[in-house]
């Protein structure tokens, strides 16, 4: 059968080109992301005007370091949420990896080994989440809620709740204080993860299947794709990213604590959803996650500069999250609204 | 294997043989022993009541559902499909009744889902869209752009994209589960013509439809299912609409003398 291979003198030359023509940049842009980019810019300008310390290189560099862990895990979380899943355990994994890595350093492990171990621990927890979700059919919400509790519990048990200091002579500690072109290792690594995420989501089959699974997992399965493996990989990726973030946070603070990164998962999910990734799955944007992560951290950074009580930050983060989820679930309406406002006559 | 079926078919002509296929969903026995054969270049109509098990049987043949008992032979070889890709490897293509598309992916991505053209490790989007456009133009599918999201297409457009997807695999066996349910008159005609064209090239086609008049236009043979079993198998030449309705509804239809019941 050659219906498709050879168009025997098909009169379809120009129409083929017309069909395949790329749409305009405007049509391709995620409108929810665009709105958030505007909001982020406005918040940025607001803090720049409100406090002269905000728009200094030192503060911006500091901001980039603060954004780093949220961004690293946010990129991975974008895959998880786009696939129609959720990972609530990333904060606990960050704390676990931070605490255990510090203990391994204290126990005399070489930094290089500890770094590998940190990534493997993160990946391992992610794969546990992924296996129960994809192969045992337990909703990721339940699985990761359980590991949220178990993983932090193990870290607390292991460290008895004490913060474990990291000797400043170790490579890990030096990594925490290193600067290249004025920016920390965390910031540069986060940038690399963003680029990786962009390529992975938009240019590979893996990304394509993640989006497809979020839209209609059964359709992707019937297309011959190993849906369980892709789903497990997405959750494994978020665990790995949390492991990396845990290592970098411990390195920067010079200690690892089982009590660190409380509520981190909410910040990350807020960042992802703020950026325009759909909580219902099937639609994801890494650029959006970058914007969302920046927005959450600009607010946190700006509020600190304005000497707002630090106890207010979680309240504001939580409130922003609810607001964002509300907008996100009505995202189609919002996109439609923006489209109507901006439609050319 | 000694196919002693009707006609003068050579063993090599047999594309698909299903025998004694059963499938239960818990207490629900969807299939309770189905036999079906399909020859090269043949168009087989598969009919039966709602819930007779037609779609389930076709999902078994496409690897989307695993049967409990019975045997599938393709080209005379016994096969066991544990995933849809196993069936794809045997060149079995299917248009599912529910289409199996992804709403948030664009037309080209849906056409190539699971077999995206690659350059190195990356999807070659340009090639994918060009090939998609060519497929759509060849089959006269009425969409405006390969970049359009499937979810924004009309029901009929979605159905024609699903058909284009199945046909573009160049299958040996093409399964169409109610492919014309959402189509306008002209599109139904072009699907019927497509069925004739691919059958002429040697593809075996299984057509499920409730539009009985279409069966008489394209089918060579009809297999009837009733409550999970294959109950009849007749050449189209031996049937008329009334007889066929009788076979589907399992009511004895006195068709020999016209109007005897009216
Ligand atoms: N996943 C499932 N779980 C439970 N029961 C199922 C499932 N799939 C199908 N069935 C049952 O199997 C029977 C056959 O369904 P099937 O879809 O094969 O019918 P059909 O002949 O295609 O009907 P229609 O003409 O309405 O499309 C039905 O009673 C249906 O309820
Ligand atoms: Mg059906």
């Amino acid at each position: 059968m050659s219906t498709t291979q050879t168009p025997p003198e098909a009169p379809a030359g120009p129409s083929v080109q017309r069909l395949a023509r790329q749409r305009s940049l405007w049509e391709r842009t995620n409108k929810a992301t665009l709105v958030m980019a505007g909001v982020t810019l406005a918040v940025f300008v607001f803090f720049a005007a409100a406090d002269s310390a905000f728009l200094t290189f030192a503060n911006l560099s500091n901001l980039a370091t603060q954004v780093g862990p949220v961004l690293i895990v946010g990129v991975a979380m974008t895959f998880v949420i786009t696939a129609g899943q959720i990972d609530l355990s990333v904060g606990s994994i960050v704390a676990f990896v931070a605490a255990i890595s510090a203990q391994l350093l204290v126990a005399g492990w070489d930094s290089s080994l500890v770094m590998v171990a940190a990534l493997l621990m993160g990946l391992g927890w992610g794969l546990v989440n992924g296996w129960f979700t994809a192969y045992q059919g337990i909703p990721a919400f339940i699985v990761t809620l359980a590991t949220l509790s178990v993983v932090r519990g193990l870290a607390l048990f292991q460290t008895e709740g004490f913060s474990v200091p990291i000797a400043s002579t170790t490579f890990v500690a030096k990594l925490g204080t290193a600067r290249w072109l004025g920016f920390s290792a965390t910031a540069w690594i986060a940038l690399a993860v963003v680029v990786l995420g962009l390529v992975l989501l938009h240019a590979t089959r893996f990304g394509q299947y993640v989006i497809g699974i979020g839209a209609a997992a059964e359709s992707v399965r019937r297309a011959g794709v190993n849906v369980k493996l892709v789903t497990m990989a997405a959750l494994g990726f978020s665990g790995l990213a949390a492991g990396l973030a845990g290592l970098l946070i411990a390195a920067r603070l010079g200690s690892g604590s089982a009590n660190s990164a409380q509520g981190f998962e909410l910040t990350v999910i807020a960042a992802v959803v703020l950026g325009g990734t759909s909580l219902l799955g099937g639609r994801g944007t890494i650029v959006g996650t970058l914007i969302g992560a920046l927005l959450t951290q600009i607010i946190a950074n700006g509020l600190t500069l304005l000497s707002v009580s630090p106890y207010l930050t979680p309240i504001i983060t939580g409130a922003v999250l609810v607001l964002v989820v509300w907008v996100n679930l009505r995202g189609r309406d919002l996109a439609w609204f923006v489209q109507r406002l901006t439609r050319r006559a | 294997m000694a196919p002693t079926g009707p006609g003068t078919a050579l063993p090599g002509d047999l594309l698909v043989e299903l025998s004694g296929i059963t499938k239960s969903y818990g207490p629900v026995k969807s299939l309770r022993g189905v036999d079906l054969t399909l020859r090269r270049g043949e168009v087989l109509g598969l009919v039966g009541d709602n819930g007779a098990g037609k779609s389930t049987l076709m999902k078994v043949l496409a690897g989307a559902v695993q049967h409990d008992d019975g045997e599938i032979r393709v080209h005379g070889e016994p096969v066991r499909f544990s995933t849809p890709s196993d069936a794809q490897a045997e060149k079995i293509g299917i248009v599912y009744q529910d289409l199996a598309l992804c709403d948030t992916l664009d037309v080209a991505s849906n056409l190539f889902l699971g077999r995206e053209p690659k350059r190195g490790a990356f999807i070659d989007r340009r090639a994918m869209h060009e090939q998609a456009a060519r497929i759509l133009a060849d089959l006269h599918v009425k969409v405006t752009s390969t970049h359009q999201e499937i979810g924004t297409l009309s029901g009929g457009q979605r159905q024609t994209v699903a058909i284009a997807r199945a046909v573009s695999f160049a299958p040996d066996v093409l399964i169409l589960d109610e492919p014309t349910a959402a189509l306008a008159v002209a599109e139904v005609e072009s699907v019927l013509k497509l069925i004739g064209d691919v059958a002429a090239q040697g593809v075996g086609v299984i057509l499920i439809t409730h539009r009985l008049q279409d069966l008489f236009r394209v089918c060579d043979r009809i297999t009837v299912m009733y409550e999970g079993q294959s109950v009849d198998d007749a050449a189209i030449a031996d049937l008329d609409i009334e007889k066929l309705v009788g076979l589907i509804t399992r009511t004895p239809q006195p068709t020999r003398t016209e109007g005897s019941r009216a």
Side-chain angles (χ1 to χ4, degrees):
Chain A
M1 210 197 74
S2 64
T3 325
T4 60
Q5 272 82 345
T6 48
E9 65 264 10
S15 101
V16 167
Q17 275 161 25
R18 184 175 50 76
L19 272 169
R21 190 160 49 216
Q22 182 59 277
R23 293 169 311 155
S24 69
L25 194 62
W26 168 249
E27 280 177 299
R28 279 182 282 154
T29 309
N30 182 328
K31 305 303 181 298
T33 307
L34 205 60
V35 171
M36 278 309 153
V39 172
T40 307
L41 196 66
V43 171
F44 187 88
V45 169
F46 168 78
F47 281 123
D51 195 311
S52 58
F54 182 79
L55 209 55
T56 57
F57 182 79
N59 186 54
L60 292 185
S61 169
N62 182 29
L63 180 65
T65 305
Q66 283 174 358
V67 171
V70 176
L71 194 49
I72 289 169
V73 182
V75 167
M77 186 72 81
T78 306
F79 284 79
V80 174
I81 294 180
T82 303
Q85 306 291 348
I86 193 91
D87 188 347
L88 301 175
S89 70
V90 288
S92 294
I93 296 177
V94 164
F96 179 92
V97 170
I100 303 299
S101 298
Q103 280 197 325
L104 291 178
L105 285 169
V106 169
W109 284 37
D110 188 69
S111 284
S112 58
L113 276 182
V114 170
M115 286 160 71
V116 172
L119 297 182
L120 287 181
M121 285 187 282
L123 178 65
W125 284 122
L127 291 178
V128 167
N129 287 334
W131 186 78
F132 277 109
T133 302
Y135 288 89
Q136 300 307 310
I138 308 171
F141 178 80
I142 307 289
V143 173
T144 59
L145 192 60
T147 43
L148 170 149
S149 173
V150 169
V151 172
R152 192 181 291 278
L154 281 173
L156 284 166
F157 183 77
Q158 188 65 27
T159 59
E160 292 173 340
F162 291 112
S163 171
V164 183
I166 296 173
S168 59
T169 51
T170 59
F171 178 74
V172 169
K174 285 177 188 151
L175 188 71
T177 52
R179 288 274 185 284
W180 291 292
L181 302 177
F183 289 98
S184 66
T186 304
W188 287 111
I189 291 172
L191 185 66
V193 171
V194 168
V195 173
L196 181 79
L198 271 173
V199 172
L200 211 53
L201 185 61
H202 299 299
T204 69
R205 286 185 173 181
F206 175 71
Q208 187 88 343
Y209 300 155
V210 162
I211 298 170
I213 287 169
E218 176 62 10
S219 300
V220 180
R221 187 184 76 84
R222 290 190 197 164
V225 175
N226 191 338
V227 166
K228 291 178 179 172
L229 189 63
V230 174
T231 306
M232 184 166 86
L235 281 157
F237 185 24
S238 67
L240 177 65
L244 177 58
L247 178 73
L248 291 172
I249 288 174
R252 175 163 56 90
L253 298 179
S255 68
S257 164
N259 285 308
S260 57
Q262 303 268 11
F264 181 72
E265 58 282 336
L266 289 189
T267 310
V268 170
I269 293 167
V272 172
V273 176
L274 264 169
T277 294
S278 169
L279 264 182
L280 302 175
R283 249 175 249 283
T285 153
I286 300 290
V287 173
T289 297
L290 172 62
I291 291 167
L294 280 172
L295 181 54
T296 55
Q297 297 311 297
I298 287 173
I299 292 174
N301 178 282
L303 291 178
T304 313
L305 284 184
L306 295 182
S307 337
V308 173
S309 160
Y311 300 119
L312 266 178
T313 315
I315 298 173
I316 292 171
T317 310
V320 167
L321 179 67
V322 171
L323 187 73
V324 164
V325 169
W326 180 64
V327 171
N328 186 274
L329 292 179
R330 298 161 45 93
R332 278 182 179 268
D333 301 353
L334 188 74
W336 173 82
F337 183 67
V338 173
Q339 226 156 15
R340 208 185 51 155
L341 283 182
T342 55
R343 183 149 48 214
R344 281 158 280 187
Chain B
M1 52 160 233
T4 52
T8 55
L10 299 166
D13 275 351
L14 275 173
L15 277 177
V16 174
E17 299 158 84
L18 302 179
S19 48
I21 303 287
T22 63
K23 173 71 192 177
S24 300
Y25 291 103
V28 183
K29 287 189 174 151
S30 294
L31 301 176
R32 14 172 127 217
V34 186
D35 303 330
L36 178 148
T37 57
L38 180 70
R39 294 181 185 78
R40 193 176 291 285
E42 181 183 47
V43 181
L44 174 70
L46 185 60
V47 296
D49 256 346
N50 292 128
K54 307 179 296 293
S55 298
T56 307
L57 184 68
M58 292 303 102
K59 284 179 192 163
V60 166
L61 184 52
V65 160
Q66 279 65 52
H67 59 287
D68 302 331
D69 259 313
E71 191 180 47
I72 305 176
R73 281 167 179 267
V74 177
H75 296 296
E77 299 288 323
V79 290
R80 179 99 213 173
F81 299 146
S82 46
T83 65
S85 43
D86 291 349
Q88 277 167 22
E90 293 286 345
K91 307 205 81 173
I92 294 174
I94 179 166
V95 177
Y96 290 97
Q97 188 168 9
D98 60 6
L99 303 183
L101 301 168
C102 289
D103 278 358
T104 59
L105 291 177
D106 62 23
V107 171
S109 300
N110 270 283
L111 278 176
F112 285 95
L113 190 63
R115 48 164 182 154
E116 294 80 1
K118 289 207 294 183
R119 183 187 288 166
F122 307 114
I123 296 178
D124 189 345
R125 295 219 180 253
R126 174 192 288 263
M128 187 168 87
H129 282 280
E130 276 173 10
Q131 289 174 31
R134 215 167 295 133
I135 291 168
L136 296 178
D138 283 355
L139 296 175
H140 305 287
V141 176
K142 284 184 184 147
V143 299
T144 50
S145 166
T146 57
H147 294 276
Q148 195 171 352
E149 266 183 27
I150 284 284
T152 65
L153 296 181
S154 77
Q157 286 173 321
R158 291 162 53 87
Q159 198 147 28
T160 49
V161 169
I163 294 171
R165 171 178 161 82
V167 169
S168 67
F169 274 91
D172 281 347
V173 176
L174 178 61
I175 302 166
L176 301 166
D177 194 347
E178 311 225 12
T180 55
L183 297 189
V185 181
E187 275 66 37
V188 172
E189 290 305 312
S190 79
V191 170
L192 295 181
K193 181 175 176 306
L194 176 76
I195 291 172
D197 289 350
V198 297
Q201 292 165 18
V203 177
V205 181
I206 301 178
L207 173 64
I208 299 175
T209 178
H210 292 294
R211 294 168 48 108
L212 301 185
Q213 69 275 26
D214 291 351
L215 293 169
F216 284 94
R217 289 184 50 195
V218 294
C219 291
D220 303 307
R221 200 157 52 85
I222 305 281
T223 293
V224 184
M225 287 184 65
Y226 185 75
E227 294 186 351
Q229 284 176 305
S230 49
V231 288
D232 268 300
D233 187 300
I236 199 81
D238 300 337
L239 291 172
D240 57 32
I241 292 252
E242 277 182 46
K243 273 190 201 168
L244 185 55
V245 170
L247 292 180
I248 295 169
T249 56
R250 309 312 292 166
T251 49
Q253 204 96 354
T255 47
R256 217 162 284 164
T257 52
E258 275 179 64
S260 62
R261 223 166 59 125

